[in-house]
Amino acid sequence: MLGWLERWPGTGWQERWVAVGGDQGLEWIDHLAAEDPRSEDINSLELRMGVNWLFLARVMRPAYSYFPRSKSPFLFEHAPRLISPDLFEHLAQEAAASPITCREHTLARRALVKLALHTGKEVEQLSVEDMLEFRDWANRNRKANRGLGTAWDLLRRAGVISANGSLLETTRRGGQRPISELVDSYGVRSSTIREVLIRYLEERRASLDYNSVRSLASHLVGLFWVDIETHHPGIDSLELTEDIAQAWKQRLLVVRTKNGQTRPRKTRLETLTKVRAFYLDIQEWAHTDPAWVPWAVPSPVRRGDTDGILKARQQTTARMHQRVRERLPQLLVLVETAEKHRDSQRAFLEEARQTPAGGALAHDGQRYRRVVPKQQPGGERYRGPDTVLVENIDTGIRIDVTQTEDEAFWAWGLIETLRHTGVRLEELLEITHLALNSYQLPETGELVPLLQIVPSKSNEERLLLISPELASVLATIISRLRRDHGGTVPLVARYDPHERITGPPLPHLFQRKNAHRWGVMSYNTVRRLLNDTVARTGLRNAAGETLNYTAHDFRRIFATDAVTGGLPVHIAARLLGHHSVATTQSYLAVFQEDLVRAYRSFLDSRRSVRPEAEYREPTEEEWREFQQHFQARKLELGDCGRPYGTGCQHEHACLRCPMLRVAPAQRPRLLTILQNLDDRITEAKMNGWLGEVQGLQYSLAKAKEKLANLDKAISNSTGTLTDLGIPTLRAPL
């Protein structure tokens, strides 16, 4: 190899290796082998081995692009014996004494070998910058950097690198970027316009969250000014001629993809609105701040350019309503599918665990064989002590039953929590064990469970009454987390991708194990679990397309179902965290518009006579009324779940009311009511009382629905109590 490399130009072996193009592929080895009179196959293998030994001897340093092409286990087997052998042995001991599995340690060792061979350093000399360079290369080239995060953790524990957190936490620690960096990332050429944009965004920053600031910078800098500079170089003024403005508006109509195709731009009106607001704000500020006067020029976006925004919003609302109309009737199918898949995978896992290695088992009409764990140092810890692998006997496909059961459980937990709370996705992932509270009635001692939703989009926290169904779901989640952590919910920090900040370690409920670390689920994980569940249902819309559900679909369905079930609109708005009833109204797909209009007029008239002091301490009479509300919820068949401050919406026809929570002890009473309704329907049909027949049949259908839900809740109950560990809010002294 050295004799052949010597033919190429360069002052050293590394320069000759680069001149050959050795990092770009392995075809040159085949050509070199063909020049030798010996067997081509044997010579090619010898040349590959020669290259590997040159790497191990530090004669040449391969690029990261070489490793995916060579796929030679020789390097990863011998490098730890020649490069920092003592440190590699120490890292192996650290991995064995931690939750890191043998598989994760193997991937970490391969990552360290790549770093050492590429940089030419000993492992003890690697720095944070070296590891970040490897990560950036993998991200740019869309290559998996498996093992790099574990290698980071091992080097941090060994004191090789100085870092306070994991690789993911360190890369995110940049946090929110200054306004100047946001603007400079788009490459504005004019220094004067750059200063104006920075100052404008700084003015708006106080009233916007970070995600909104980034969006505003994208519209004003990226889609507006940088586009102007690209097509009209040298421009240095906000005052644009009519030709330049019209040309920009035409370009804004479409988005050009990488392959040269075009499609209509959905955010065109939003961009026009923000650009017009940019010019109008400067004109207004110029009246009080003379520094803005030189930039107070006519806006290139006229009022008529944004006339279609109202129609666009109406179309968006119509699409939202159509999504609810398509998905609300199929919600129970999705819920039942998630529940059946969870139960099926749980039974599959239990059966697979009881099957000895190499033994056969059957599940869901398929034959499987439990796979013998791959023998590595640590035995079964190559994939973790609890990992159960099976192989389909007919297809040969291997399945990690532990992972499929875990995904089935969390898909069920996500769907149930979303449909029972109507919270936003960000709010869902921020639910912690500390968010569970309860209010204890002083006279009866009854506990009313409450769920605290931390401030999100509207920056207002709120309390939701926990229904028995939701309490069962949360208890199951807490029990699962406690089972894996010695009776406690682990503390993990959540990274907010919108605000670009990492929160404090908290006992988040929606956390999963990723490699050897526990972390809060990401948005992509939630979407994937929902999509997988929908795919199992086979649900499709009228056009034959898959009926995908998003987290926000459950929020709209929750609002529609609650209001059509009798919940007042303003109460639903408070539950959803909306400032305006109009926002809640846009969520309601099947609520009558005239009824909404009439109810809103009633609210306006009622608010006109309300006292000015909205926030004050409640009087003893008001507090007594609040306590009596919970005591008055006791009914013959169970409890009434209507919110405080609302009257009965069904004239005490509790059997038909969705707010009725039937107690398990009242199941015999419910069966008696069902039999009585059957007898009354038969009697009404015999006497020709058609109007009464219709009402009785409706009551019978609702009674059967209550019985089915009650039996489902009883069957899902484990028969044991789960202490949620929630604090109690007692009456004030």
Side-chain angles (χ1 to χ4, degrees):
M1 280 301 307
L2 292 177
W4 183 73
L5 286 174
E6 199 172 14
R7 307 176 192 173
W8 294 84
T11 58
W13 298 115
Q14 181 65 28
E15 292 185 7
R16 294 187 178 100
W17 169 258
V18 174
V20 170
D23 295 322
Q24 308 305 319
L26 300 176
E27 295 80 5
W28 59 272
I29 292 184
D30 298 331
H31 295 312
L32 180 58
E35 299 177 3
D36 197 282
R38 295 178 297 173
S39 170
E40 180 177 338
D41 294 336
I42 297 179
N43 201 31
S44 177
L45 177 60
E46 288 180 348
L47 293 174
R48 291 171 186 262
M49 294 296 292
V51 171
N52 289 336
W53 279 114
L54 291 175
F55 288 154
L56 294 176
R58 305 302 183 92
V59 175
M60 302 178 306
R61 293 183 290 109
Y64 290 123
S65 58
Y66 173 81
F67 298 103
R69 293 184 172 92
S70 67
K71 299 180 181 179
S72 173
F74 179 85
L75 284 174
F76 305 110
E77 179 182 354
H78 288 78
R81 304 175 185 175
L82 302 174
I83 304 173
S84 306
D86 294 338
L87 181 57
F88 270 108
E89 180 62 26
H90 175 70
L91 296 180
Q93 296 174 359
E94 285 283 341
S98 68
I100 299 175
T101 65
C102 187
R103 178 173 181 267
E104 294 169 344
H105 173 235
T106 301
L107 294 174
R109 185 174 56 190
R110 293 171 66 94
L112 291 176
V113 169
K114 295 177 183 179
L115 282 162
L117 294 179
H118 172 73
T119 59
K121 300 179 180 178
E122 298 294 321
V123 178
E124 296 91 338
Q125 300 172 341
L126 293 177
S127 63
V128 171
E129 290 72 19
D130 295 330
M131 306 193 75
L132 293 180
E133 179 189 359
F134 184 18
R135 185 216 56 177
D136 294 340
W137 174 87
N139 291 340
R140 288 195 306 269
N141 295 273
R142 298 183 179 180
K143 301 293 184 181
N145 56 356
R146 296 184 301 174
L148 186 59
T150 306
W152 175 285
D153 293 338
L154 291 174
L155 292 183
R156 184 167 59 89
R157 295 177 187 177
V160 176
I161 60 175
S162 299
N164 296 325
S166 65
L167 174 63
L168 187 60
E169 294 172 350
T170 302
T171 55
R172 289 170 171 173
R173 195 156 288 146
Q176 300 179 358
R177 301 169 64 184
I179 297 297
S180 58
E181 290 188 12
L182 285 178
V183 174
D184 291 340
S185 64
Y186 293 96
V188 179
R189 302 172 186 173
S190 172
S191 59
T192 55
I193 301 300
R194 172 185 174 274
E195 294 297 329
V196 173
L197 292 170
I198 291 175
R199 187 182 176 194
Y200 177 80
L201 292 174
E202 290 284 2
E203 291 280 351
R204 297 292 310 276
R205 179 70 179 91
S207 60
L208 299 175
D209 56 62
Y210 182 70
N211 191 47
S212 299
V213 171
R214 288 198 304 142
S215 175
L216 182 59
S218 173
H219 288 281
L220 293 181
V221 186
L223 294 178
F224 173 57
W225 189 254
V226 172
D227 182 85
I228 294 292
E229 287 187 334
T230 301
H231 293 84
H232 306 279
I235 192 168
D236 199 31
S237 173
L238 288 178
E239 188 171 5
L240 306 179
T241 64
E242 186 66 22
D243 295 341
I244 295 178
Q246 290 300 326
W248 169 71
K249 295 174 188 177
Q250 288 297 319
R251 293 191 298 271
L252 193 64
L253 291 173
V254 297
V255 176
R256 188 172 299 278
T257 59
K258 294 182 179 179
N259 55 9
Q261 298 179 351
T262 60
R263 55 179 175 82
R265 187 186 300 273
K266 295 181 179 180
T267 61
R268 181 183 66 88
L269 291 174
E270 182 181 1
T271 302
L272 291 174
T273 302
K274 292 183 183 298
V275 172
R276 177 171 171 80
F278 168 63
Y279 278 85
L280 295 183
D281 286 342
I282 292 178
Q283 293 175 15
E284 181 180 355
W285 297 343
H287 290 289
T288 56
D289 187 354
W292 288 107
V293 172
W295 311 108
V297 297
S299 171
V301 182
R302 305 292 184 257
R303 180 179 300 177
D305 295 334
T306 60
D307 285 345
I309 194 168
L310 179 59
K311 182 179 179 181
R313 290 174 179 172
Q314 293 174 345
Q315 292 175 347
T316 301
T317 302
R319 287 194 298 268
M320 289 168 44
H321 290 178
Q322 183 60 28
R323 290 183 65 90
V324 175
R325 294 189 189 99
E326 291 177 344
R327 286 157 179 77
L328 179 56
Q330 307 296 339
L331 179 60
L332 292 181
V333 177
L334 180 66
V335 172
E336 292 176 358
T337 301
E339 184 175 350
K340 290 180 180 178
H341 185 61
R342 178 205 60 177
D343 297 339
S344 174
Q345 292 301 314
R346 182 171 55 192
F348 190 17
L349 178 61
E350 291 299 326
E351 186 176 0
R353 280 176 175 168
Q354 298 174 5
T355 303
L361 68 152
H363 175 74
D364 198 17
Q366 299 288 329
R367 298 180 303 161
Y368 298 92
R369 179 186 298 107
R370 183 165 182 181
V371 178
V372 178
K374 188 175 181 180
Q375 295 301 318
Q376 293 283 337
E380 289 191 14
R381 292 189 71 252
Y382 182 72
R383 282 187 175 268
D386 300 326
T387 301
V388 178
L389 294 177
V390 298
E391 182 180 76
N392 191 305
I393 297 178
D394 299 326
T395 63
I397 299 176
R398 290 192 174 186
I399 301 175
D400 185 343
V401 188
T402 310
Q403 181 179 356
T404 56
E405 188 276 337
D406 186 70
E407 292 182 349
F409 172 83
W410 286 112
W412 167 81
L414 288 168
I415 292 174
E416 288 292 329
T417 307
L418 287 170
R419 79 183 186 100
H420 285 304
T421 60
V423 295
R424 303 178 180 93
L425 178 54
E426 180 182 1
E427 296 170 343
L428 173 80
L429 298 179
E430 290 179 348
I431 295 178
T432 68
H433 196 190
L434 305 177
L436 302 178
N437 297 278
S438 66
Y439 172 73
Q440 185 175 18
L441 298 177
E443 297 181 2
T444 63
E446 178 186 359
L447 289 177
V448 181
L450 302 172
L451 178 63
Q452 180 184 15
I453 305 300
V454 298
S456 176
K457 185 177 180 180
S458 59
N459 290 327
E460 287 187 2
E461 64 178 4
R462 58 191 190 276
L463 291 173
L464 300 180
L465 184 65
I466 299 179
S467 64
E469 294 85 356
L470 178 60
S472 176
V473 174
L474 296 179
T476 305
I477 293 175
I478 293 174
S479 299
R480 186 182 182 92
L481 294 175
R482 285 174 172 174
R483 180 198 66 188
D484 298 333
H485 297 87
T488 60
V489 179
L491 302 179
V492 295
R494 177 182 179 270
Y495 175 74
D496 189 338
H498 295 306
E499 293 299 314
R500 300 288 181 90
I501 56 176
T502 301
L506 293 172
H508 289 89
L509 296 188
F510 290 93
Q511 57 174 291
R512 293 180 65 206
K513 188 176 182 181
N514 183 15
H516 62 279
R517 293 178 294 270
W518 285 81
V520 181
M521 298 182 193
S522 64
Y523 293 159
N524 291 333
T525 299
V526 174
R527 296 187 189 100
R528 180 175 58 83
L529 294 177
L530 291 179
N531 292 336
D532 291 346
T533 306
V534 173
R536 293 186 187 93
T537 64
L539 294 175
R540 297 188 177 275
N541 57 19
E545 301 171 343
T546 302
L547 201 64
N548 290 326
Y549 282 74
T550 65
H552 219 73
D553 287 329
F554 290 96
R555 182 171 171 83
R556 301 186 188 105
I557 290 174
F558 174 83
T560 302
D561 197 27
V563 175
T564 54
L567 188 68
V569 182
H570 71 290
I571 299 296
R574 294 296 300 272
L575 292 179
L576 295 173
H578 289 159
H579 286 294
S580 172
V581 179
T583 306
T584 309
Q585 179 186 349
S586 66
Y587 277 40
L588 308 179
V590 295
F591 203 53
Q592 298 178 3
E593 184 178 353
D594 55 343
L595 187 57
V596 174
R597 189 182 304 109
Y599 191 80
R600 289 185 63 186
S601 63
F602 162 73
L603 288 180
D604 293 339
S605 62
R606 189 181 69 173
R607 287 170 180 167
S608 62
V609 298
R610 292 178 67 177
E612 295 181 358
E614 291 290 339
Y615 300 97
R616 56 180 175 79
E617 292 295 327
T619 62
E620 293 185 2
E621 182 179 355
E622 290 173 335
W623 187 255
R624 192 181 307 109
E625 179 188 356
F626 175 75
Q627 296 173 352
Q628 291 175 353
H629 162 76
F630 295 100
Q631 299 172 1
R633 297 187 310 162
K634 297 296 183 181
L635 303 172
E636 182 181 12
L637 290 176
D639 295 328
C640 178
R642 70 179 186 272
Y644 170 71
T646 62
C648 181
Q649 301 295 316
H650 292 84
E651 299 180 355
H652 302 284
C654 299
L655 198 62
R656 301 180 178 183
C657 182
M659 294 295 150
L660 173 62
R661 310 293 184 187
V662 181
Q666 298 300 324
R667 189 178 186 278
R669 171 62 180 164
L670 186 58
L671 292 175
T672 303
I673 294 176
L674 283 169
Q675 183 61 43
N676 180 263
L677 288 173
D678 280 327
D679 296 340
R680 292 176 61 186
I681 290 174
T682 302
E683 179 185 5
K685 288 182 178 179
M686 292 176 57
N687 295 320
W689 301 334
L690 300 182
E692 187 173 352
V693 168
Q694 184 178 4
L696 292 172
Q697 287 178 340
Y698 181 74
S699 298
L700 180 63
K702 290 297 181 181
K704 290 182 178 179
E705 181 180 334
K706 292 286 190 301
L707 179 62
N709 292 335
L710 179 61
D711 291 341
K712 182 178 178 181
I714 295 176
S715 63
N716 290 337
S717 176
T718 60
T720 59
L721 296 178
T722 300
D723 181 15
L724 298 181
I726 58 179
T728 302
L729 305 178
R730 299 184 180 273
L733 299 178

